[in-house]
Amino acid sequence: MATLIRCSREGHLKQIANAFAFTTRHGTRNLSALNKKTAYDKSIYFFDSVDKNEPKFDKILIANRGEIACRIIKTCNEMGIKTVAVHSEVDSSGLFVRMADEAVCVGPAQSSKSYLNVDAILNAVKTTGAQAVHPGYGFLSENMKFAGILEQLGVVFIGPNRKAIEAMGDKIQSKKIAKEAKVSTIPGYDGVVKDADECIKISREIGYPVMVKASAGGGGKGMRIAWNDKEAAEGFRLSTAEAASSFGDDRMLVEKFIDNPRHIEVQILCDKHGNARWLNERECSIQRRNQKVIEEAPSTFIDPKTRAAMGEQATRLALAVGYDSAGTVEFLVDSKRNFYFLEMNTRLQVEHPITEAITGIDIVHQMIRIAKGHPIKFTQQQVPLKGWALESRVYAEDATKNFGLPSVGRLSAYKEPLHIPNVRCDSGIEEGSEISIYYDPMICKLVTYGKSRTEALATMAKSLDAYVIRGVTHNIPLLRDIITEERFVKGNITTKYLPEVYPDGFKGKVLKSEEQRNLAALAAIVHLKDMKRSRQFLNQKRIDVTRDAAKRHEFVVNVVGKQRRVEVALSEGSYKVSVDGEKVEVADNFNLSSDVVEANIDGDVQTMQLISRDGSGNVRLQYLGTMYPVRVLTATAHDLMKHMKEKKRADASSQVIAPMPGLVRTVTVVVGQNVAEGMEVCVIEAMKMQNSLVAGKSGKVKKVNIKVGETVGEDDVLVEFE
């Protein structure tokens, strides 16, 4: 039963203010962080302003959650439109719920019972009197049945018309239409694949490698690359399950996989008056598991001639189906700039902010205007292409596990780098928010922009270094390493970038000698500050134990497996540090309560984060994106360590351990069964992705600790072998 909660905007803003104005170990927050987080930034939309006299909707319901709901609310606020948020039970205190004018609970945590619960959402529309529904992306954004029901109720769906969704949302049908519209397409099978055997047969006819993917949906879910019969069968099985779970549609298709392509997409806008505009392209080649990690606009690879050709084909395809909203036409581009239609996303795209940054156009504003029946006001020739923009998708993921397996938990500390100029953070969370197993693990879309790509990259590096996230594992180490990696900086990228640059997986930033020296020096200073503070007793009559404290301290610092002799001498306003005889001077400009440390080392500012420390010399510092555990011992303590025995590590080869939290979908083994190395034992679903777990060695199953439908935590022992 959906629960309706009505309250005024003033009440919501007061609730948000109270949530932000609390005292933590960092002190009392002022409301400047709140204002920046929830305010509409007019400076970004230099080409697009809201006409207050233009007819508009009175109230819009947002059938989505998290950051995209917050994003839509900001534009609605600027337009003077009231908003209704729908939410699951676990999202009841979410930022997007508190930002909206009204909120309606539509069900429990599972998406199928809340954000995909059409009946509950329609009831919310009727109860609140919303005139229109904005679906955001994902969930019901490309559901033609939902759009059709709204149309019957006289409620406007802020997206393309139902027929356009049907034509373009189905990858099989859209490919046929693209061919008829003379749009370049990828060779493949145009029908629906019935089962795994037919998938293998078709794959052989097309020729490996092939892409097995869901006919409906997108976002990298329900997609697998197959290089042989075995992978085709497994890909069909896993992708079918993912598609059914994510989109409620398990139809599959098979097409030729173009090796070493770039993934480049064109943002379009079409109105109900036959006008179509393309808003330049976005480069989305940095992906893992067919999901985008870093995007940029424009592409370093596309020249003006190719850009125009792609834009013209994209709008031609849209006009062929009577498209009338914002959409994205995706292409694969080979090394000779030949491009092939991949699919069309009939919705607002996740990465739309970078297009907004280089065009100055508020795409959400234009979607709402078009849905109201207004024509596009600008011509194709007037569409700006100003500067460069990058987007890093900050996820609650462990990037060292297959480039990102989900992490869950509560954000014990959270500070976005909004103090840095030319930075935009699209997020729907705050300090204290919970990252759960039920939804996508995205924390924020971190966008930086500038006059040039070099400027945007420099700002991105600075922003990632200053982004404070505690309580969950995140992928900032990978993002930070990519944006300074030589190939990426040169723009020499394809969709194979990650496995080519990190063939053994991402293991963290590999520090150069000078960087190791800086890390060792700062860790030693942090430990010294901790030692000095532990000797001080404030407001108590004690013997002064600091008077005869040594002015020079000797340490042995273990950094990335290497032991370094470090001497630290106190000076006026700085520390004189010697690392294995190499001398540097570090300014004394930070204290132990600082999350972010702007370490001035010989005049060069290095941004680090102090994650944790303890009295035994364990210091964890985040440097160049990666968190490094550093051990700092006094020279005396180090000399005595040789007498300490090392703890033996437990043998985990006879167990299958959960690499991430998730929901058990299938268990394929039983006690007493003999299994071979590499054989699947279970499938865990996390954030809508199906993950097949296999036996690490051959043996007999001793114990099965899980059942279908149970939730498991990271590092839980799932199956044990004799």
Side-chain angles (χ1 to χ4, degrees):
M1 179 67 68
T3 303
L4 174 65
I5 306 169
R6 288 184 182 273
C7 48
S8 66
R9 178 177 304 283
E10 289 77 12
H12 277 298
L13 291 178
K14 184 177 180 181
Q15 186 182 12
I16 300 173
N18 290 337
F20 270 76
F22 61 88
T23 302
T24 66
R25 64 188 177 90
H26 310 294
T28 303
R29 287 178 180 264
N30 59 41
L31 295 181
S32 62
L34 168 64
N35 293 335
K36 277 192 172 184
K37 191 174 183 67
T38 61
Y40 182 84
D41 188 355
K42 293 183 180 181
S43 66
I44 295 175
Y45 306 115
F46 57 86
F47 187 70
D48 193 2
S49 59
V50 174
D51 183 353
K52 301 292 185 180
N53 297 317
E54 194 173 64
K56 64 180 186 295
F57 297 110
D58 295 324
K59 185 185 291 186
I60 292 175
L61 182 143
I62 302 160
N64 216 298
R65 65 177 300 278
E67 66 86 12
I68 192 57
C70 292
R71 163 71 188 90
I72 296 167
I73 291 171
K74 289 179 184 179
T75 290
C76 288
N77 288 348
E78 180 66 14
M79 296 178 71
I81 299 172
K82 292 184 178 180
T83 54
V84 179
V86 294
H87 63 89
S88 67
E89 292 171 356
V90 296
D91 277 341
S92 60
S93 61
L95 181 62
F96 74 99
V97 175
R98 304 201 312 274
M99 283 178 65
D101 294 285
E102 300 174 43
V104 180
C105 181
V106 289
Q110 295 93 331
S111 297
S112 61
K113 298 179 180 179
S114 52
Y115 297 106
L116 292 173
N117 187 343
V118 173
D119 290 340
I121 292 173
L122 290 175
N123 183 56
V125 173
K126 295 173 185 176
T127 308
T128 60
Q131 297 170 320
V133 173
H134 199 307
Y137 56 76
F139 294 131
L140 298 171
S141 63
E142 295 177 284
N143 189 310
M144 62 179 178
K145 293 181 181 178
F146 178 63
I149 296 172
L150 289 176
E151 185 180 342
Q152 292 173 5
L153 293 174
V155 177
V156 177
F157 179 79
I158 302 177
N161 61 79
R162 181 176 55 82
K163 292 182 179 179
I165 296 175
E166 183 178 8
M168 288 289 96
D170 187 308
K171 294 181 178 66
I172 297 172
Q173 181 69 10
S174 66
K175 192 172 179 181
K176 292 178 181 178
I177 295 172
K179 286 181 179 179
E180 293 172 1
K182 300 189 185 309
V183 175
S184 302
T185 58
I186 302 170
Y189 179 67
D190 293 334
V192 176
V193 183
K194 297 176 182 177
D195 52 36
D197 290 337
E198 187 178 26
C199 181
I200 293 172
K201 179 177 178 292
I202 293 169
S203 299
R204 289 175 177 175
E205 291 172 355
I206 295 172
Y208 290 108
V210 297
M211 174 71 79
V212 181
K213 64 181 183 180
S215 176
K221 296 178 177 67
M223 301 173 68
R224 293 290 190 284
I225 299 169
W227 294 82
N228 52 50
D229 291 353
K230 181 181 178 182
E231 292 181 2
E234 185 179 69
F236 181 87
R237 179 173 60 83
L238 294 174
S239 296
T240 300
E242 283 180 7
S245 173
S246 299
F247 318 121
D249 184 344
D250 62 0
R251 291 176 302 148
M252 306 302 295
L253 61 85
V254 179
E255 64 186 18
K256 180 69 176 177
F257 176 66
I258 298 176
D259 210 8
N260 294 318
R262 286 175 178 259
H263 186 140
I264 298 176
E265 61 191 27
V266 176
Q267 175 71 57
I268 63 166
L269 276 178
C270 301
D271 62 23
K272 301 179 187 299
H273 304 275
N275 299 307
R277 307 285 184 263
W278 47 272
L279 309 185
N280 306 309
E281 81 283 356
R282 296 185 288 253
E283 171 82 65
C284 306
S285 297
I286 308 298
Q287 304 178 5
R288 53 57 174 145
R289 299 189 300 278
N290 300 307
Q291 289 183 307
K292 299 157 190 173
V293 177
I294 294 178
E295 302 100 341
E296 61 182 306
S299 168
T300 59
F301 188 64
I302 299 300
D303 56 28
K305 182 180 178 181
T306 308
R307 177 176 298 121
M310 294 176 74
E312 288 165 6
Q313 286 200 21
T315 51
R316 187 162 69 236
L317 175 62
L319 290 172
V321 293
Y323 201 83
D324 54 353
S325 187
T328 300
V329 181
E330 301 192 353
F331 295 95
L332 290 181
V333 184
D334 66 20
S335 59
K336 296 180 180 179
R337 294 193 177 88
N338 297 311
F339 55 90
Y340 306 92
F341 170 69
L342 183 62
E343 64 184 15
M344 183 175 187
N345 291 313
T346 57
R347 54 172 166 78
L348 182 66
Q349 197 82 333
V350 176
E351 57 273 17
H352 75 275
I354 55 176
T355 295
E356 295 182 331
I358 65 168
T359 63
I361 296 171
D362 182 341
I363 296 174
V364 173
H365 172 223
Q366 292 301 321
M367 289 183 75
I368 296 172
R369 287 187 66 255
I370 290 168
K372 187 63 177 173
H374 299 301
I376 297 171
K377 291 183 176 181
F378 51 86
T379 66
Q380 184 61 59
Q381 290 70 31
Q382 291 176 319
V383 175
L385 201 172
K386 182 181 178 182
W388 216 281
L390 293 131
E391 176 180 284
S392 290
R393 297 194 186 190
V394 181
Y395 282 102
E397 292 181 338
D398 185 347
T400 63
K401 296 179 179 178
N402 197 23
F403 297 111
L405 290 183
S407 171
V408 298
R410 188 177 298 276
L411 294 172
S412 57
Y414 184 75
K415 293 179 182 177
E416 295 173 348
L418 291 171
H419 61 284
I420 301 172
N422 296 341
V423 171
R424 168 177 172 175
C425 291
D426 278 20
S427 68
I429 59 171
E430 57 195 321
E431 193 165 287
S433 292
E434 186 84 20
I435 306 297
S436 75
I437 66 170
Y438 297 107
Y439 312 116
D440 189 271
M442 182 186 289
I443 294 174
C444 175
K445 297 183 308 196
L446 176 61
V447 177
T448 62
Y449 48 95
K451 295 179 181 178
S452 65
R453 186 172 189 260
T454 301
E455 186 178 315
L457 279 170
T459 304
M460 181 62 75
K462 189 175 181 181
S463 301
L464 289 169
D465 285 342
Y467 203 150
V468 177
I469 303 172
R470 306 281 191 272
V472 296
T473 304
H474 53 76
N475 68 333
I476 283 180
L478 175 62
L479 299 172
R480 180 61 171 80
D481 201 52
I482 290 172
I483 63 166
T484 54
E485 192 275 326
E486 184 179 6
R487 270 186 58 181
F488 183 82
V489 172
K490 290 180 179 179
N492 178 23
I493 58 177
T494 69
T495 55
K496 281 191 167 185
Y497 173 86
L498 287 178
E500 287 178 351
V501 174
Y502 308 101
D504 299 321
F506 178 69
K507 307 298 182 185
K509 172 75 175 178
V510 179
L511 296 178
K512 300 175 183 176
S513 177
E514 181 181 319
E515 294 164 346
Q516 291 183 29
R517 179 205 66 192
N518 294 342
L519 189 61
L522 192 69
I525 292 171
V526 166
H527 186 59
L528 177 58
K529 281 178 174 283
D530 196 38
M531 289 172 56
K532 289 173 64 64
R533 192 172 74 167
S534 66
R535 293 176 177 175
Q536 296 176 344
F537 299 92
L538 301 179
N539 303 320
Q540 295 189 39
K541 294 180 179 180
R542 290 173 177 263
I543 299 173
D544 186 358
V545 295
T546 61
R547 182 175 54 191
D548 297 323
K551 298 297 182 182
R552 181 178 294 275
H553 302 264
E554 295 185 5
F555 300 102
V556 176
V557 181
N558 190 311
V559 179
V560 293
K562 297 180 181 178
Q563 292 185 348
R564 294 177 174 270
R565 291 276 175 177
V566 180
E567 291 186 4
V568 182
L570 282 70
S571 183
E572 189 68 30
S574 67
Y575 294 92
K576 305 287 186 181
V577 184
S578 173
V579 181
D580 289 339
E582 188 176 358
K583 297 181 179 180
V584 294
E585 184 174 358
V586 181
D588 185 13
N589 63 345
F590 68 94
N591 57 51
L592 295 179
S593 66
S594 302
D595 282 322
V596 179
V597 176
E598 299 289 345
N600 189 318
I601 303 175
D602 282 345
D604 184 22
V605 177
Q606 300 282 321
T607 303
M608 300 188 193
Q609 291 189 31
L610 178 54
I611 306 297
S612 66
R613 68 187 191 284
D614 62 29
S616 60
N618 294 305
V619 178
R620 294 198 304 156
L621 291 168
Q622 185 173 308
Y623 181 37
L624 300 176
T626 296
M627 191 281 294
Y628 296 95
V630 182
R631 186 73 187 276
V632 184
L633 297 173
T634 64
T636 302
H638 173 263
D639 291 340
L640 294 173
M641 281 296 292
K642 61 187 177 183
H643 301 293
M644 301 293 290
K645 292 183 178 180
E646 288 189 16
K647 184 179 179 180
K648 292 183 179 180
R649 294 185 178 182
D651 179 17
S653 63
S654 60
Q655 301 171 332
V656 175
I657 298 173
M660 85 293 274
L663 183 70
V664 180
R665 280 299 181 191
T666 63
V667 179
T668 54
V669 295
V670 295
V671 174
Q673 179 180 345
N674 289 313
V675 298
E677 181 179 348
M679 178 178 169
E680 179 181 283
V681 298
C682 63
V683 173
I684 304 296
E685 182 181 288
M687 279 76 172
K688 302 180 185 177
M689 296 294 290
Q690 304 270 333
N691 301 276
S692 175
L693 304 186
V694 301
K697 68 175 186 179
S698 299
K700 181 180 288 187
V701 177
K702 177 183 177 182
K703 194 174 182 181
V704 177
N705 300 318
I706 52 174
K707 295 179 181 178
V708 173
E710 290 182 341
T711 57
V712 297
E714 184 176 359
D715 295 329
D716 283 359
V717 178
L718 309 180
V719 179
E720 300 176 43
F721 303 104
E722 292 181 357

